[in-house]
Amino acid sequence: MKAMILAAGLGTRLRPLTDIRPKALVELSGRALLEITLTRLHTFGITEFIINVHHFADQVIDYLKSHKSFGLRIEISREEILLDTGGGLKKAAWFFLEDPARLDQPFLLHNVDVISTIDLDRMCQFHKENHALATLAVQSRDSGRQLLFNNQDELCGRRASRDQQPEIVRPSDHLQPLAFSGIHLISPRLLPLLTEEGIFSIIPSYLRLSAQSQKILAFRADQYYWRDLGRPTDLAQAAADLKQNIFA
């Protein structure tokens, strides 16, 4: 399996830590977030990565060179302007389409600033068994932004904030709000379907495709540890969790 690590963002919530470094090189218990992500994904057999970079991009490139890319194949997708998740993935699509013999194999899209114990093997099995176009790891937890799924785990809409009316693209009698984890499994079949151009988030693309009856599914990850590392307080809590061996 291949993976893309989303690491181009400015990391504004992590300031002042990101005033002098990219968020990918912010450290948790003495290890860069990028190293933690690469190491964890490698435990699931992933050896080929593409990483998008923008903010202090040269620092990420130099860091990987100094660590000999951790013995992995790592390509860089440099964004002169931030392209957001959808635009970033579309720019890097060549990486997942280069081998015609592997077009039936899903790839992973993973934020650099999240940490979890989500079983990616189980998630991949779920994705393949259901012939999904994309599978999103989600949890039932408090979040200002929620994705809405029906009883068949199909994406049906979203609620962008607590104060807004939900956007429904696939009506259903019962919709469950779930929080997205920033971890996706995607079939290469999705890439030619990304008709949006330039800077765009992938969530509206998922909603558009779901409205066209494409399978954008939820993988329930409630039993796993997960934490967003977007703020210094989140890093401090994750470091405390690590000391207590809450996650490996």
Side-chain angles (χ1 to χ4, degrees):
M1 188 190 294
K2 293 182 175 183
M4 180 173 185
I5 298 176
L6 296 170
L10 301 177
T12 52
R13 294 181 300 152
L14 277 170
R15 287 176 176 164
L17 298 175
T18 49
D19 286 340
I20 57 172
R21 63 175 68 86
K23 65 180 178 181
L25 299 187
V26 169
E27 293 188 348
L28 169 62
S29 298
R31 299 173 67 204
L33 299 185
L34 180 57
E35 178 192 351
I36 292 171
T37 304
L38 287 168
T39 301
R40 170 164 165 75
L41 299 189
H42 189 205
T43 66
F44 289 96
I46 301 175
T47 59
E48 297 179 82
F49 296 84
I50 189 164
I51 302 169
N52 68 338
V53 295
H54 171 77
H55 183 56
F56 292 118
D58 289 336
Q59 288 190 32
V60 177
I61 294 167
D62 291 343
Y63 173 81
L64 290 169
K65 285 180 179 177
S66 70
H67 288 81
K68 296 182 171 51
S69 295
F70 298 95
L72 305 166
R73 178 196 174 191
I74 298 180
E75 303 286 347
I76 295 294
S77 181
R78 193 169 192 138
E79 299 180 7
E80 298 306 320
I81 59 171
L82 282 171
L83 296 174
D84 210 332
T85 50
L89 174 60
K90 188 165 185 174
K91 185 176 189 294
W94 67 267
F95 181 70
F96 304 106
L97 300 173
E98 63 181 353
D99 186 352
R102 298 171 67 179
L103 295 182
D104 61 340
Q105 297 183 15
F107 62 88
L108 189 72
L109 188 62
H110 197 294
N111 290 0
V112 77
D113 54 355
V114 299
I115 191 167
S116 81
T117 61
I118 292 172
D119 188 334
L120 300 179
D121 286 335
R122 285 189 59 192
M123 186 174 171
C124 188
Q125 182 181 3
F126 174 89
H127 177 89
K128 290 179 177 178
E129 287 176 349
N130 289 279
H131 306 286
L133 190 66
T135 299
L136 315 182
V138 294
Q139 295 176 320
S140 179
R141 55 178 167 79
D142 185 51
S143 174
R145 294 178 293 178
Q146 302 273 356
L147 298 178
L148 306 174
F149 295 87
N150 63 18
N151 289 334
Q152 288 74 48
D153 297 320
E154 296 167 329
L155 179 65
C156 294
R158 67 171 168 176
R159 182 178 285 114
S161 73
R162 293 182 177 89
D163 299 328
Q164 291 185 4
Q165 288 294 316
E167 174 188 359
I168 306 298
V169 299
R170 200 167 182 169
S172 176
D173 291 336
H174 175 78
L175 291 176
Q176 182 168 13
L178 296 167
F180 181 42
S181 69
I183 301 171
H184 334 217
L185 263 173
I186 299 172
S187 166
R189 292 183 290 112
L190 176 135
L191 297 172
L193 303 178
L194 291 178
T195 55
E196 295 83 358
E197 298 290 344
I199 303 166
F200 65 96
S201 166
I202 200 167
I203 297 298
S205 302
Y206 286 154
L207 292 166
R208 173 178 60 80
L209 291 167
S210 183
Q212 298 169 8
S213 298
Q214 296 283 357
K215 279 193 173 184
I216 313 296
L217 301 184
F219 175 77
R220 295 297 299 266
D222 301 293
Q223 70 269 41
Y224 302 106
Y225 177 92
W226 178 91
R227 183 169 291 280
D228 171 71
L229 302 176
R231 297 167 297 189
T233 52
D234 299 318
L235 286 170
Q237 184 58 58
D241 294 343
L242 184 60
K243 287 182 179 179
Q244 296 177 30
N245 202 31
I246 290 178
F247 66 88

Short mmCIF file of all heavy atoms in Angstrom, two decimals, residues 87-118:
data_model
loop_
_atom_site.label_atom_id
_atom_site.label_comp_id
_atom_site.label_asym_id
_atom_site.label_seq_id
_atom_site.Cartn_x
_atom_site.Cartn_y
_atom_site.Cartn_z
N GLY A 87 -7.11 19.58 -3.41
CA GLY A 87 -6.15 20.07 -4.38
C GLY A 87 -4.78 19.44 -4.20
O GLY A 87 -4.08 19.13 -5.19
N GLY A 88 -4.40 19.22 -2.94
CA GLY A 88 -3.11 18.58 -2.67
C GLY A 88 -3.07 17.15 -3.17
O GLY A 88 -2.08 16.71 -3.76
N LEU A 89 -4.17 16.42 -2.93
CA LEU A 89 -4.23 15.04 -3.42
C LEU A 89 -4.23 15.01 -4.94
O LEU A 89 -3.54 14.18 -5.55
CB LEU A 89 -5.48 14.35 -2.88
CG LEU A 89 -5.75 12.95 -3.43
CD1 LEU A 89 -4.59 12.00 -3.12
CD2 LEU A 89 -7.05 12.39 -2.87
N LYS A 90 -4.97 15.91 -5.56
CA LYS A 90 -5.04 15.90 -7.03
C LYS A 90 -3.66 16.18 -7.64
O LYS A 90 -3.28 15.55 -8.64
CB LYS A 90 -6.05 16.94 -7.51
CG LYS A 90 -6.33 16.87 -9.00
CD LYS A 90 -7.57 17.65 -9.37
CE LYS A 90 -7.90 17.47 -10.85
NZ LYS A 90 -9.19 18.11 -11.22
N LYS A 91 -2.89 17.08 -7.04
CA LYS A 91 -1.54 17.37 -7.53
C LYS A 91 -0.64 16.14 -7.42
O LYS A 91 0.24 15.91 -8.24
CB LYS A 91 -0.94 18.54 -6.76
CG LYS A 91 0.42 19.00 -7.27
CD LYS A 91 0.90 20.22 -6.52
CE LYS A 91 2.15 20.83 -7.17
NZ LYS A 91 3.31 19.93 -7.09
N ALA A 92 -0.87 15.34 -6.38
CA ALA A 92 -0.04 14.16 -6.13
C ALA A 92 -0.60 12.89 -6.75
O ALA A 92 -0.05 11.80 -6.53
CB ALA A 92 0.13 13.97 -4.62
N ALA A 93 -1.66 13.00 -7.53
CA ALA A 93 -2.35 11.82 -8.05
C ALA A 93 -1.44 10.91 -8.87
O ALA A 93 -1.61 9.68 -8.88
CB ALA A 93 -3.56 12.24 -8.89
N TRP A 94 -0.46 11.50 -9.55
CA TRP A 94 0.45 10.70 -10.39
C TRP A 94 1.09 9.57 -9.61
O TRP A 94 1.33 8.48 -10.15
CB TRP A 94 1.54 11.60 -10.98
CG TRP A 94 2.49 12.14 -9.94
CD1 TRP A 94 2.39 13.33 -9.28
CD2 TRP A 94 3.66 11.49 -9.44
NE1 TRP A 94 3.43 13.47 -8.38
CE2 TRP A 94 4.23 12.36 -8.46
CE3 TRP A 94 4.31 10.29 -9.69
CZ2 TRP A 94 5.40 12.04 -7.76
CZ3 TRP A 94 5.46 9.97 -9.00
CH2 TRP A 94 6.00 10.84 -8.04
N PHE A 95 1.37 9.82 -8.32
CA PHE A 95 2.06 8.85 -7.48
C PHE A 95 1.24 7.57 -7.33
O PHE A 95 1.79 6.47 -7.24
CB PHE A 95 2.32 9.49 -6.12
CG PHE A 95 3.05 8.61 -5.13
CD1 PHE A 95 4.38 8.29 -5.31
CD2 PHE A 95 2.40 8.12 -4.01
CE1 PHE A 95 5.05 7.49 -4.39
CE2 PHE A 95 3.06 7.32 -3.09
CZ PHE A 95 4.39 7.01 -3.28
N PHE A 96 -0.07 7.71 -7.31
CA PHE A 96 -0.95 6.55 -7.11
C PHE A 96 -1.42 5.93 -8.42
O PHE A 96 -2.06 4.89 -8.41
CB PHE A 96 -2.16 6.97 -6.26
CG PHE A 96 -1.76 7.57 -4.95
CD1 PHE A 96 -1.87 8.94 -4.73
CD2 PHE A 96 -1.24 6.78 -3.94
CE1 PHE A 96 -1.47 9.49 -3.52
CE2 PHE A 96 -0.84 7.33 -2.73
CZ PHE A 96 -0.96 8.69 -2.51
N LEU A 97 -1.10 6.58 -9.53
CA LEU A 97 -1.51 6.09 -10.84
C LEU A 97 -0.34 5.60 -11.69
O LEU A 97 -0.53 5.16 -12.82
CB LEU A 97 -2.26 7.19 -11.60
CG LEU A 97 -3.53 7.74 -10.94
CD1 LEU A 97 -4.07 8.94 -11.72
CD2 LEU A 97 -4.60 6.65 -10.84
N GLU A 98 0.88 5.65 -11.14
CA GLU A 98 2.06 5.36 -11.94
C GLU A 98 2.21 3.89 -12.31
O GLU A 98 2.87 3.56 -13.30
CB GLU A 98 3.33 5.83 -11.21
CG GLU A 98 3.60 5.13 -9.89
CD GLU A 98 4.85 5.65 -9.20
OE1 GLU A 98 5.59 6.46 -9.81
OE2 GLU A 98 5.10 5.25 -8.05
N ASP A 99 1.62 3.00 -11.53
CA ASP A 99 1.73 1.57 -11.79
C ASP A 99 0.36 1.01 -12.16
O ASP A 99 -0.48 0.81 -11.30
CB ASP A 99 2.28 0.84 -10.56
CG ASP A 99 2.55 -0.64 -10.81
OD1 ASP A 99 2.17 -1.13 -11.89
OD2 ASP A 99 3.13 -1.30 -9.92
N PRO A 100 0.12 0.73 -13.45
CA PRO A 100 -1.20 0.23 -13.86
C PRO A 100 -1.60 -1.08 -13.17
O PRO A 100 -2.80 -1.36 -13.04
CB PRO A 100 -1.02 0.01 -15.38
CG PRO A 100 0.12 0.90 -15.77
CD PRO A 100 1.03 0.92 -14.59
N ALA A 101 -0.62 -1.85 -12.69
CA ALA A 101 -0.93 -3.12 -12.05
C ALA A 101 -1.47 -2.94 -10.64
O ALA A 101 -1.95 -3.90 -10.02
CB ALA A 101 0.31 -4.01 -12.01
N ARG A 102 -1.40 -1.70 -10.11
CA ARG A 102 -1.80 -1.47 -8.72
C ARG A 102 -3.01 -0.55 -8.60
O ARG A 102 -3.29 -0.04 -7.53
CB ARG A 102 -0.62 -0.90 -7.92
CG ARG A 102 0.56 -1.84 -7.88
CD ARG A 102 1.80 -1.19 -7.29
NE ARG A 102 1.67 -0.88 -5.88
CZ ARG A 102 2.64 -0.33 -5.15
NH1 ARG A 102 3.80 -0.05 -5.71
NH2 ARG A 102 2.45 -0.07 -3.87
N LEU A 103 -3.73 -0.36 -9.68
CA LEU A 103 -4.85 0.58 -9.67
C LEU A 103 -6.04 0.07 -8.88
O LEU A 103 -6.98 0.82 -8.62
CB LEU A 103 -5.27 0.93 -11.10
CG LEU A 103 -4.21 1.68 -11.92
CD1 LEU A 103 -4.75 2.01 -13.30
CD2 LEU A 103 -3.75 2.94 -11.20
N ASP A 104 -6.02 -1.21 -8.51
CA ASP A 104 -7.11 -1.75 -7.69
C ASP A 104 -6.76 -1.76 -6.22
O ASP A 104 -7.54 -2.23 -5.39
CB ASP A 104 -7.46 -3.17 -8.15
CG ASP A 104 -6.30 -4.14 -8.00
OD1 ASP A 104 -5.14 -3.67 -7.93
OD2 ASP A 104 -6.54 -5.36 -7.97
N GLN A 105 -5.58 -1.23 -5.86
CA GLN A 105 -5.15 -1.22 -4.46
C GLN A 105 -5.42 0.15 -3.84
O GLN A 105 -4.98 1.17 -4.38
CB GLN A 105 -3.66 -1.54 -4.37
CG GLN A 105 -3.29 -2.94 -4.85
CD GLN A 105 -1.82 -3.23 -4.66
OE1 GLN A 105 -1.12 -2.54 -3.93
NE2 GLN A 105 -1.33 -4.27 -5.33
N PRO A 106 -6.12 0.19 -2.72
CA PRO A 106 -6.38 1.48 -2.08
C PRO A 106 -5.10 2.08 -1.50
O PRO A 106 -4.11 1.38 -1.27
CB PRO A 106 -7.36 1.13 -0.96
CG PRO A 106 -7.08 -0.30 -0.64
CD PRO A 106 -6.69 -0.93 -1.95
N PHE A 107 -5.14 3.39 -1.31
CA PHE A 107 -4.02 4.07 -0.66
C PHE A 107 -4.56 4.86 0.53
O PHE A 107 -5.76 5.11 0.65
CB PHE A 107 -3.28 4.98 -1.64
CG PHE A 107 -4.10 6.10 -2.22
CD1 PHE A 107 -4.21 7.33 -1.57
CD2 PHE A 107 -4.77 5.94 -3.43
CE1 PHE A 107 -4.97 8.36 -2.10
CE2 PHE A 107 -5.53 6.97 -3.98
CZ PHE A 107 -5.63 8.18 -3.30
N LEU A 108 -3.63 5.24 1.40
CA LEU A 108 -3.99 5.94 2.63
C LEU A 108 -3.69 7.42 2.49
O LEU A 108 -2.66 7.81 1.93
CB LEU A 108 -3.19 5.36 3.80
CG LEU A 108 -3.58 5.83 5.20
CD1 LEU A 108 -4.91 5.22 5.61
CD2 LEU A 108 -2.50 5.43 6.21
N LEU A 109 -4.59 8.24 3.00
CA LEU A 109 -4.40 9.68 3.11
C LEU A 109 -4.46 10.00 4.60
O LEU A 109 -5.47 9.69 5.25
CB LEU A 109 -5.49 10.42 2.33
CG LEU A 109 -5.35 11.93 2.17
CD1 LEU A 109 -4.09 12.29 1.41
CD2 LEU A 109 -6.58 12.49 1.43
N HIS A 110 -3.41 10.61 5.16
CA HIS A 110 -3.27 10.73 6.61
C HIS A 110 -2.73 12.10 6.97
O HIS A 110 -1.68 12.52 6.48
CB HIS A 110 -2.31 9.64 7.10
CG HIS A 110 -2.35 9.36 8.57
ND1 HIS A 110 -1.97 10.28 9.52
CD2 HIS A 110 -2.71 8.24 9.26
CE1 HIS A 110 -2.08 9.74 10.73
NE2 HIS A 110 -2.54 8.51 10.59
N ASN A 111 -3.42 12.82 7.85
CA ASN A 111 -2.90 14.09 8.37
C ASN A 111 -1.66 13.85 9.21
O ASN A 111 -1.61 12.90 10.00
CB ASN A 111 -3.95 14.79 9.23
CG ASN A 111 -5.12 15.32 8.42
OD1 ASN A 111 -5.16 15.18 7.19
ND2 ASN A 111 -6.07 15.92 9.10
N VAL A 112 -0.68 14.74 9.10
CA VAL A 112 0.55 14.58 9.89
C VAL A 112 0.32 14.93 11.35
O VAL A 112 1.08 14.50 12.23
CB VAL A 112 1.70 15.43 9.30
CG1 VAL A 112 1.53 16.92 9.65
CG2 VAL A 112 3.06 14.92 9.74
N ASP A 113 -0.74 15.69 11.64
CA ASP A 113 -0.94 16.19 13.00
C ASP A 113 -2.07 15.47 13.73
O ASP A 113 -2.79 16.06 14.54
CB ASP A 113 -1.17 17.70 13.01
CG ASP A 113 -2.31 18.14 12.10
OD1 ASP A 113 -2.87 17.27 11.39
OD2 ASP A 113 -2.63 19.34 12.09
N VAL A 114 -2.24 14.17 13.43
CA VAL A 114 -3.12 13.33 14.24
C VAL A 114 -2.34 12.08 14.64
O VAL A 114 -1.43 11.64 13.94
CB VAL A 114 -4.42 12.93 13.50
CG1 VAL A 114 -5.22 14.16 13.13
CG2 VAL A 114 -4.14 12.07 12.29
N ILE A 115 -2.72 11.52 15.77
CA ILE A 115 -2.09 10.30 16.26
C ILE A 115 -3.19 9.37 16.73
O ILE A 115 -4.20 9.81 17.30
CB ILE A 115 -1.08 10.61 17.40
CG1 ILE A 115 -0.24 9.39 17.72
CG2 ILE A 115 -1.77 11.19 18.62
CD1 ILE A 115 0.96 9.73 18.59
N SER A 116 -3.03 8.08 16.45
CA SER A 116 -4.11 7.16 16.80
C SER A 116 -3.57 5.74 16.88
O SER A 116 -2.45 5.45 16.48
CB SER A 116 -5.23 7.21 15.75
OG SER A 116 -4.91 6.41 14.62
N THR A 117 -4.44 4.86 17.39
CA THR A 117 -4.16 3.42 17.37
C THR A 117 -5.13 2.71 16.43
O THR A 117 -5.34 1.50 16.55
CB THR A 117 -4.28 2.81 18.78
OG1 THR A 117 -5.63 3.00 19.25
CG2 THR A 117 -3.30 3.44 19.75
N ILE A 118 -5.74 3.44 15.52
CA ILE A 118 -6.71 2.84 14.59
C ILE A 118 -6.05 1.71 13.81
O ILE A 118 -4.94 1.86 13.28
CB ILE A 118 -7.27 3.92 13.64
CG1 ILE A 118 -8.14 4.91 14.43
CG2 ILE A 118 -8.09 3.28 12.52
CD1 ILE A 118 -8.60 6.11 13.63
#
